[in-house]
Every structure is written in structure tokens, then in C-alpha cells.
Amino acid sequence: MSFHASLGNLSLKQLRAFVCVAESRSFTSAATLLNLSQSAVSLLVRELESELGLKLLDRTTRSVRMTEAGAELHPVAARVLQDLGAAIAGSRELADRRRGRVRFACSPLQSSLLVPRLIGTFKARYPHITIVLRDTPGGEIIDLVASGEVDLALGVLPADTPFVAAEPLLTDDLLLIHPRSYGWGPRRRPTWKDIAAHPFIALGEHNSTRYLVDYHAAQVGVRLTPACEVAFVWTAIGMVDAGLGLSLIPGHARPIVQKFADVAMQPFEPQRIKRPIALMRHRQRTLSPAAEAFADFLRENFPRHDRRTPAARP
């Protein structure tokens, strides 16, 4: 049996009234359940029958029974109402930030040092929101945001782009690390010429810290020729620990450097060179409620101040 009415002419109220009457076998009971008058329920069912061109219910003074057409329509209408109810409930959960999924990108260093505790605190507040963490080299983060592959990202504040909006969260510094065998005490302030006089371990060309280092070195007429070039900050620290040279790395790597007894560290030109770390998102895309919740959380809880470098160990 086929139904000839246009779906656009049917209403959810009509379907709900029909299903309620069919299941309760009573217009009176259906009216009570729907919080409507009996006449309003009868009108909704008659309108549905008129739209379909079919008799759906046989009414007597004692009972209400579905016709053959009504029995065929009932499971379909009930499923539509059930699916719609589930969809509405799910949408409300999303709107209320009770569940969702956030795709978030940041550098491997931030992924290991800054972000895990933040995610842990966030998950305690929003246990059913999933965080998909992309620990990605800094030079690739902006592309992930611009392409829409991630909702939010943390990275060095970029130049203006047509697709990426950036909100500064933290100002980091550059950290000079060198073998303790150099004998540079905490009161000595190495210069660019000091750095150029020693083997320099550089981060990769697309690393934001590398760009910052090269730019400021060029401003004072110093060209740094890397003795070694590495992709990750951990590798640079390990090479310094092996006595292969010195390096300039992000300041928030201090907790890692502290684990290496043979590596000394100190801020490098902290008053002049800063690394602005920003929260980034796509300019033309609306964040989901879950992503908006995570963005708000980062604004409230991201550490705002640089940590001071501990005094050098003797």
C-alpha cells in the first residue's frame, strides 16, 4: 500500500496524535498524554487522514482500532518520532556541552609538557567530550587550521592569513642550552657572537623557533651555520648533552632540560626576544559547542607567565 500525500504537507503533531491514539486505543487517553483537548486530537488525526487520502482509524463508541492503512503507517510514524526525539536529545547534549569531539593540534613539545594536564582537567569537567590531539610539527599547524582538519590549534602567532584567526595566550622566551663544560656561569650573558663561535644545533627550517632565531641573529649581523639540524627539541637537548654544541629552544622546554645533568640553561635576551603563543581557529567556520567549551577552558586555564630559569647547578 502506498501513501499519496506530499511529505511537506504532513506535520509532526499529526503523526504524534495518530501514534498516540493508535497505541492507547483511545482519543481520551491520547488527549491526556498529549496535553490537548479531545477535539484537538480528533482534528489532527482527521487532517492526517485527509492529507493521505486514507482512513487510518475505525472509531466506535467503545473502541478505536487501526485500519489496514493505519497498521502499515504506525511503525513508520513511530520510528520517525523516535528518531527525531533521539536527534533532538543528541542536539541538546551537544548544545549543553555534555558530549562532542574536538580536534586540537599543537607541537609535540607542547603535547608532552603543557597540554596533558590541561586535557585532564577539562575531561574532569566534560567527561563525554573527546579530544583528538594532533601532535604536529609547528610549521604544519597553520595548514591544519586553514584546511579545517582541526578545530583549534596552539602555536606561535602567525602573520595575518585569510583563513586563520589567532588569539595570544602566552608569551614564551628563548632558552639557551649548552654543555656545562663551556663553563658559562649563571651571571654570564652569552651574546650572538658567542653562539656563532660554537657548533650550533638548529631546529628544522620550518620550525617557528628556528625562524625567530634566524631573524634576530640577522638583525645583529650574525649568520648561524648549523653544525647539526634536527626536527625535535628533545633531539637538540640530547645532542647538547652529548657535547656536540649549543642550541636555542622554546623556553617552556625547561622541565625537559632539567633532567639532563650535563646541560646548562639560561634565558637568551629575554627582554627583547619573545615567542607569542596563540590559540588559532578558522576564521570562517563556526566552532561546535564542544570546541567552544575547550577554547573557553584554554583561555581560563592556560599558564600565562613564563617560568623563571632555576639557578645553574654547580
Side-chain angles (χ1 to χ4, degrees):
M1 186 179 297
S2 60
F3 302 107
H4 302 290
S6 168
L7 292 177
N9 295 328
L10 303 182
S11 75
L12 292 174
K13 286 185 177 180
Q14 292 169 353
L15 291 176
R16 191 174 291 111
F18 162 69
V19 169
C20 200
V21 173
E23 292 179 351
S24 66
R25 298 187 178 185
S26 167
F27 279 88
T28 302
S29 298
T32 300
L33 292 171
L34 296 172
N35 198 26
L36 295 172
S37 66
Q38 185 173 333
S39 60
V41 174
S42 297
L43 177 61
L44 288 170
V45 173
R46 286 198 303 271
E47 289 174 345
L48 178 61
E49 291 176 328
S50 177
E51 291 292 344
L52 294 173
L54 294 167
K55 189 75 170 176
L56 300 176
L57 297 169
D58 284 331
R59 306 162 180 83
T60 69
T61 56
R62 294 185 179 181
S63 66
V64 177
R65 297 181 62 185
M66 285 185 288
T67 64
E68 181 181 352
E72 183 174 332
L73 176 62
H74 173 262
V76 177
R79 187 166 60 252
V80 167
L81 294 174
Q82 182 179 11
D83 291 347
L84 180 62
I88 291 174
S91 297
R92 286 174 178 164
E93 286 185 349
L94 291 175
D96 293 340
R97 303 176 174 186
R98 291 199 296 270
R99 69 176 179 87
R101 185 170 176 264
V102 183
R103 301 166 302 165
F104 178 65
C106 61
S107 72
L109 185 63
Q110 292 163 344
S111 295
S112 63
L113 292 179
L114 298 177
V115 172
R117 292 184 183 277
L118 289 171
I119 290 179
T121 304
F122 179 81
K123 290 286 290 181
R125 187 181 301 180
Y126 300 101
H128 300 298
I129 292 181
T130 300
I131 304 295
V132 180
L133 179 60
R134 294 280 296 270
D135 44 350
T136 304
E140 301 175 13
I141 288 176
I142 295 175
D143 291 339
L144 291 177
V145 177
S147 66
E149 292 183 55
V150 298
D151 306 301
L152 296 166
L154 200 63
V156 174
L157 188 67
D160 288 340
T161 68
F163 300 110
V164 178
E167 175 185 343
L169 288 184
L170 169 71
T171 300
D172 196 15
D173 59 8
L174 283 182
L175 185 66
L176 171 64
I177 57 174
H178 54 83
R180 292 192 179 279
S181 59
Y182 283 13
W184 293 349
R187 294 183 180 180
R188 189 181 191 282
R189 292 186 177 275
T191 65
W192 284 109
K193 290 184 178 180
D194 292 325
I195 290 177
H198 291 79
F200 183 64
I201 299 165
L203 297 174
E205 290 184 353
H206 299 294
N207 187 287
S208 57
T209 300
R210 168 71 177 274
Y211 172 82
L212 193 67
V213 168
D214 288 348
Y215 172 80
H216 284 279
Q219 294 300 301
V220 296
V222 172
R223 179 179 178 83
L224 297 176
T225 302
C228 297
E229 187 173 305
V230 300
F232 299 103
V233 172
W234 298 278
T235 309
I237 298 171
M239 297 188 82
V240 172
D241 183 58
L244 298 179
L246 51 72
S247 187
L248 289 166
I249 61 175
H252 58 260
R254 288 174 174 85
I256 297 177
V257 180
Q258 287 177 309
K259 299 179 184 298
F260 290 79
D262 294 328
V263 179
M265 60 181 170
Q266 60 192 96
F268 185 72
E269 298 197 4
Q271 302 304 319
R272 196 164 70 86
I273 303 177
K274 296 291 184 180
R275 298 175 65 253
I277 297 174
L279 179 64
M280 293 179 278
R281 54 171 290 181
H282 198 288
R283 288 185 185 275
Q284 300 170 355
R285 295 176 183 246
T286 300
L287 290 178
S288 67
E292 195 67 68
F294 192 55
D296 290 342
F297 176 85
L298 291 177
R299 293 184 188 105
E300 295 170 5
N301 296 277
F302 202 80
R304 297 286 173 174
H305 303 290
D306 300 337
R307 299 174 184 174
R308 295 183 179 181
T309 304
R313 291 184 292 268

